[in-house]
Structure formats: structure tokens, C-alpha cells
Amino acid sequence: MQCPMMQNQRAGRRAAKAASQQSVASMRVGGRVCALRASVGRKAASAAQVASRAVSVKVNAIATIERPAGPAPTSSGGGAGTRVMIIGGDGYCGWATALHLSARGYEVCIVDNLCRRQFDLTLGLDTLTPIATIHDRVRKWAEVSGKYISLQIGDICDWEFLSQAFTSFQPEHVVHFGEQRSAPYSMIDRQKAVFTQTNNVVGTLNVLFAIKELKPDCHLVKLGTMGEYGTPNIDIEEGYLTVTHNGRTDTLPYPKQGNSFYHLSKIHDSTNMLFTCKAWKVAATDLNQGVVYGVRTEETMADPMLINRYDYDGIFGTALNRFVVQAAVGHPLTVYGKGGQTRGFLDIRDTVRCIQIAIDNPAARGEMRVFNQFTEQFSVNQLAEIVNREGRKLGLDVVVQNVPNPRVEAEEHYYNAKHTKLVELGLQPHLLADSMIDSLLDFAVQYRDRVRMELIKPAVDWRKTGVKVNTMGAAVAK
Ligand code: NAD
Ligand code: USQ
């Protein structure tokens, strides 16, 4: 019997047949592995051709866009041709970072299996902004900037693919964004919880092995999350806590208390990284990032084809980005529960700058360095209040609504998290007060005709996590 995915991909393969470069894709459907040889040229590989490992389908394709013959980037902008592999470079943070670094003279290679696009296709979601394919994105970037980003399409859980990508690119730094990053997605059902933890933990383990086996001096910059710490009733330090217990003192990893299977996957990653820093002298920076907001960066606004994704739905949309879209379309702002939940936040323009700072000031061999990557902390109520106030200034009719909390989390709690290390290294934060006025709301208003109101409601209830795959049920709240 033919694999269903093979039928879907027939058209794509026909289109690519003439292309010269060959790649091999293997697909697992319901436990069976079907081998297929797909011709994927420099201009080929659609999202469908490289559909993700997610949702019972495993496709490991390798499609490459290599640098054309000619000089490598020079020192313009300070990157000096430093070779940076960006895993997850087609995603929200990764795409903006890839362009930021490329523009500044770093030699960038994006690695991505496009599973994020596949999640949207499977669940019926869409970004607020119309985004181009990754191949069109990097081609347009070359036109706009004269700088080339190489592209490796494949799954980092596939060792053969990852080791080949490492060997051919020889990264000096690998920035690892390439994980399933939605807490609600990880709580939809058993299959997605298992996928999230397998994808994230195995992918990171493979990256650690790739560094050890193939490029031991490569610095790992790994995206962790502030949610690893949970909401303890004491100050949150940057990674480590000095404790005196029964008269003895030690500095230990800060206690971790994740509030979803996604957040727990990040904790497992951090533990594996700490161990390999000790055992193999890996140099690692764990960036415990807060919730990112905004969409514009200098480079992603340089052409409509470079525009970044912007998630506002109840599964991938994050708090502030959702509130801004809700205000733009006249939907009540969805404050979950009492709204006292407090988190660290940062503008995406600071995300890209933090990554550059981590690269320019690398960890030493054997060092597991942790930075808390956020610039300001707010409660959900405070965010709603700011969006309400600024929205009214623009003439928007904003209503704030406390809706039943679909998550299990503290709704009133102490929160004071340190975040000084990146500032000490030169980060100059974009603060929300300014971003809100000059960027966020008017951007959402510009694209509001694309908003699908039915995707806004909270879609996944932590207490009702199912055992079966539930796609539309998860995307559209009842
Ligand atoms: P995203 O989903 O937009 O991007 C992740 C990218 O990784 C996607 O393009 C996806 O296709 C790719 N990917 C996932 N698994 C892969 C695999 N096995 N092999 C190859 N590619 C794979 O997510 P984002 O919002 O850009 O987040 C990036 C990272 O930053 C994540 O690790 C996330 O946990 C972390 N983070 C994000 C935020 C936020 O607010 N967005 C906040 C804190 C931390
Ligand atoms: N929230 C609302 N209303 C909404 C959406 C969210 O009140 O409409 C609340 C949530 O209940 C939660 C807080 O806002 O208390 C943050 O939720 P979120 O969806 O903005 O962020 P979260 O699920 O924690 O995940 C996001 C990213 C994740 C990253 C994390 C950073 O998706 O990849 O790791 O932010 S942190 O929160 O610091 O762990």
C-alpha cells in the first residue's frame, strides 16, 4: 500500500524532477518506514515535501541551498564571517535572528525541518502575517542584502542529517531554537506531549553529540525558557542558587518547576547540557528567555517577502501578541483567571541582539552559562491594562475579560527574577512603553483583515488533556 504522504508529495516531486541535486527522504507512517528518493534542487523543497516528524508522520528530507561560488562574507558589521548555524531558523525567533546576524557579516546556515508550518496545516491555524516559503525568503534576502544564507532542510532528531549538516558547515556557534515551543500544544493529548519531549530532548542530545564528535570547539547557544523556574516564592537567580544546608554551602542549579510538558522538556535539555559541559567540556550558553513580543526587526521589514510570522491563536499565540491582535479586532482581551500571573517579557528586537551578544562573548569550554533573557516583568493584568490604555488612544474599543483559566498555574504569586548578565554585556533594551506606541498596535491593525476570530479563544485545557489526537477540537474552543 502506498504511503498517504507519498500521494501528497507526488506533485512536488514531479516539479523538482529536473533539478540536479538529489536527496533521500525516509517516511514513517503508523510505524512503517517508506523510503523515497526525492529530487530536490536548489530551488525546490516545499513545506509539503519536508513535512515534519510530528503527528505520526516522519519525513527526514535533506534539501540544501549552498552559497554560490564567490567570496564569503567579510567583516562588515562585525560578524567577520563567523560561522553560525541557526537551528529553527524558519521560526519566529530564528528567522529574525538569522537575518540580524547575516546583515552584520556572520556566515549563517539555517537548519529547519519546517514542522512549525506543518503544525499550522494540521491544526488549521495561520499566522497573522502572510509568510513566504523558506526558500523564497533566503532568495529574497540575497537580492535585498547581497548576503547568502545557506539552508539545510531536515530534522535534527535524525543523526545522519544533523551530522552531515555539521560536517559540511563546520559551525563555530550553533544557535538552537529548533524545538516544539508551545505549552498548550504539548498539553493537547498524549501523542503531542510525547512528540514535544522526544523532539526537544532528542534534538538537543543530537546537537550535543554533534559538537562532541564533530566540532568540539563549537559554542552552543541554546534557547531555554524562564518557565523552567516556575513561580517560586523567592527571587529567581540566573541559573544557579547558592544554598547553605546543615552548615555546608554549595552553588547548585536553580530548582526547576515546569508547568507544562513543553516547559519540562526544556528542563531536561538544561540537565543534559550541564552534564555534557562537565563530561565533554562542551561550551554552552543556556538562554532562559521570557515571553517574546513584537514582529518587526530592521531586516524582516526590508521586504514583504521577509516578513516574520506572528501567532495569535489559542495554541501558539503568546500573551501580549494575542492581546494586541484582540484589541485590533475588537475581541475582549483574554486574561486567564485572576491575571496575577507574572512573567518576564522582551521585544523580538532584543531577542536577536541577545543572541549576538552571546555569540560575541562565548562561554568557555566546560562552562554551562545561564542568562535570563528578558527585559521587563509584567503580570497578565498589567499587560491587559497597557494594551487597553494604548488601544483607546488609537480609538480602539478595548474590553478586558477574565476568562476561566485553561491552565493549572499560580494566578497570584511573588515574582522577582534577575536579568542583569546580558545588560552587563551590552544589551540596551527596547521597553514596552515605547514599542507599544510605535510598533505593535498599528501593525496588528494593518493586518486585522486576516484575523480568524474562531482561532482566538483559549483552545487547550490542562485538566482535560486527551489521550487521542484532537486537531480541530484543539484549534477551535467549544
Ligand atoms: P517557532 O516554533 O516559531 O520556531 C521553531 C522552529 O524550529 C520552527 O521553524 C520549527 O520548524 C523548527 N524545528 C522544531 N523542531 C525541529 C527539529 N526537530 N528539527 C529541525 N527544526 C525543528 O518557535 P519560536 O517562537 O521561534 O521559539 C524558538 C525557541 O525559543 C524555542 O526553543 C522556544 O522554546 C524558545 N522560546 C520562545 C519564546 C517565544 O515567546 N516565542 C520565549 C522563550 C523561549
Ligand atoms: N495568558 C493569558 N491570556 C492569554 C494567553 C496567555 O492570560 O490569552 C497567560 C498564561 O496563562 C500564562 C502567561 O499568560 O500565565 C504566559 O502565557 P504565554 O502563552 O504568553 O506563554 P507561555 O505559554 O509561557 O510560552 C511562551 C512561549 C514559550 C516560552 C515561554 C517563555 O510559547 O516558547 O518558553 O513563553 S516563559 O513564559 O517565560 O516560560
Side-chain angles (χ1 to χ4, degrees):
M1 202 176 78
Q2 198 177 33
C3 296
M5 283 298 295
M6 290 179 76
Q7 292 163 1
N8 293 344
Q9 294 179 351
R10 206 184 288 143
R13 292 206 307 279
R14 269 202 300 270
K17 210 172 174 183
S20 57
Q21 200 177 343
Q22 295 278 303
S23 74
V24 177
S26 70
M27 302 193 299
R28 180 175 294 135
V29 179
R32 286 177 304 120
V33 177
C34 311
L36 103 115
R37 179 163 290 280
S39 297
V40 185
R42 285 175 194 274
K43 295 182 180 177
S46 65
Q49 283 174 295
V50 288
S52 82
R53 294 168 53 256
V55 286
S56 319
V57 178
K58 179 165 181 165
V59 179
N60 298 325
I62 302 170
T64 311
I65 292 187
E66 293 290 2
R67 160 176 305 290
T74 55
S75 58
S76 70
T82 303
R83 302 173 73 79
V84 183
M85 174 179 281
I86 302 194
I87 300 174
D90 187 45
Y92 172 55
C93 299
W95 176 238
T97 303
L99 297 193
H100 176 85
L101 295 178
S102 175
R104 286 157 184 79
Y106 299 80
E107 173 136 24
V108 172
C109 170
I110 286 178
V111 171
D112 204 299
N113 68 347
L114 313 185
C115 69
R116 177 67 193 85
R117 293 174 186 253
Q118 186 68 19
F119 301 150
D120 280 354
L121 291 173
T122 309
L123 292 167
L125 310 175
D126 201 2
T127 140
L128 176 73
T129 45
I131 55 171
T133 69
I134 185 63
H135 293 79
D136 285 343
R137 281 174 155 188
V138 296
R139 269 194 293 271
K140 178 54 74 177
W141 176 243
E143 261 175 59
V144 166
S145 69
K147 294 174 191 290
Y148 289 89
I149 291 177
S150 55
L151 188 58
Q152 300 270 355
I153 300 298
D155 186 339
I156 61 163
C157 294
D158 173 1
W159 172 251
E160 196 185 341
F161 163 74
L162 182 67
S163 56
Q164 190 177 314
F166 248 74
T167 306
S168 63
F169 185 68
Q170 294 286 316
E172 293 162 75
H173 304 262
V174 53
V175 184
H176 181 15
F177 293 104
E179 301 203 327
Q180 192 302 98
R181 70 99 176 131
S182 159
Y185 184 93
S186 76
M187 298 299 292
I188 292 174
D189 57 24
R190 186 203 61 81
Q191 188 268 343
K192 290 179 179 57
V194 171
F195 169 77
T196 300
Q197 295 212 346
T198 310
N199 184 64
N200 296 0
V201 177
V202 174
T204 299
L205 259 181
N206 277 350
V207 172
L208 291 166
F209 270 92
I211 292 172
K212 173 183 184 282
E213 300 290 326
L214 306 169
K215 198 78 174 62
D217 58 350
C218 175
H219 172 217
L220 171 62
V221 178
K222 163 69 170 52
L223 272 293
T225 176
M226 285 302 292
E228 291 183 40
Y229 301 118
T231 50
N233 198 30
I234 56 172
D235 292 348
I236 294 173
E237 304 298 322
E238 297 204 57
Y240 298 92
L241 181 66
T242 300
V243 183
T244 300
H245 179 63
N246 292 344
R248 301 184 63 82
T249 299
D250 202 352
T251 297
L252 302 168
Y254 196 94
K256 306 287 176 74
Q257 306 182 75
N259 269 327
S260 72
F261 290 120
Y262 154 71
H263 286 101
L264 290 162
S265 76
K266 296 293 212 188
I267 296 173
H268 303 322
D269 286 342
S270 296
T271 308
N272 286 340
M273 286 164 63
L274 180 62
F275 171 68
T276 58
C277 287
K278 285 183 195 160
W280 304 336
K281 299 275 174 270
V282 170
T285 303
D286 202 1
L287 295 173
N288 283 341
Q289 185 170 234
V291 188
V292 184
Y293 61 83
V295 65
R296 290 190 234 228
T297 60
E298 198 184 328
E299 295 79 23
T300 57
M301 296 309 289
D303 186 280
M305 213 179 263
L306 301 176
I307 200 163
N308 205 346
R309 65 176 309 118
Y310 185 118
D311 301 313
Y312 65 90
D313 62 83
I315 298 179
F316 284 93
T318 51
L320 182 55
N321 281 352
R322 275 167 60 72
F323 288 173
V324 165
V325 168
Q326 290 165 0
V329 297
H331 189 289
L333 309 194
T334 53
V335 171
Y336 294 168
K338 293 179 183 159
Q341 304 94 304
T342 303
R343 301 287 184 270
F345 289 81
L346 75 164
D347 189 307
I348 194 163
R349 292 172 293 180
D350 291 336
T351 292
V352 301
R353 180 72 188 123
C354 288
I355 303 294
Q356 186 185 357
I357 288 172
I359 289 171
D360 290 348
N361 304 275
R365 290 287 300 273
E367 184 185 7
M368 164 71 173
R369 189 173 63 165
V370 182
F371 295 160
N372 291 347
Q373 181 169 314
F374 71 96
T375 57
E376 296 173 280
Q377 60 179 56
F378 298 101
S379 71
V380 177
N381 281 331
Q382 286 172 324
L383 288 182
E385 178 45 39
I386 294 168
V387 173
N388 187 356
R389 190 180 62 227
E390 299 299 329
R392 284 174 185 279
K393 282 187 200 164
L394 294 180
L396 298 169
D397 188 15
V398 184
V399 176
V400 179
Q401 193 173 43
N402 291 81
V403 300
N405 194 340
R407 306 186 185 198
V408 177
E409 61 186 356
E411 294 177 5
E412 291 170 313
H413 58 88
Y414 177 79
Y415 199 79
N416 184 32
K418 301 277 170 62
H419 56 110
T420 53
K421 290 187 182 174
L422 282 158
V423 173
E424 282 161 15
L425 290 172
L427 176 67
Q428 293 178 318
H430 293 85
L431 299 180
L432 179 58
D434 309 322
S435 315
M436 182 59 70
I437 296 155
D438 68 20
S439 172
L440 287 174
L441 273 165
D442 67 290
F443 187 89
V445 168
Q446 195 184 331
Y447 285 94
R448 68 180 160 196
D449 289 348
R450 284 179 50 87
V451 172
R452 284 172 41 213
M453 300 293 267
E454 77 277 12
L455 298 184
I456 290 181
K457 288 179 197 161
V460 183
D461 190 323
W462 267 222
R463 298 167 191 82
K464 296 180 187 159
T465 296
V467 292
K468 293 184 190 149
V469 174
N470 176 9
T471 57
M472 279 311 286
V476 183
K478 303 187 176 60

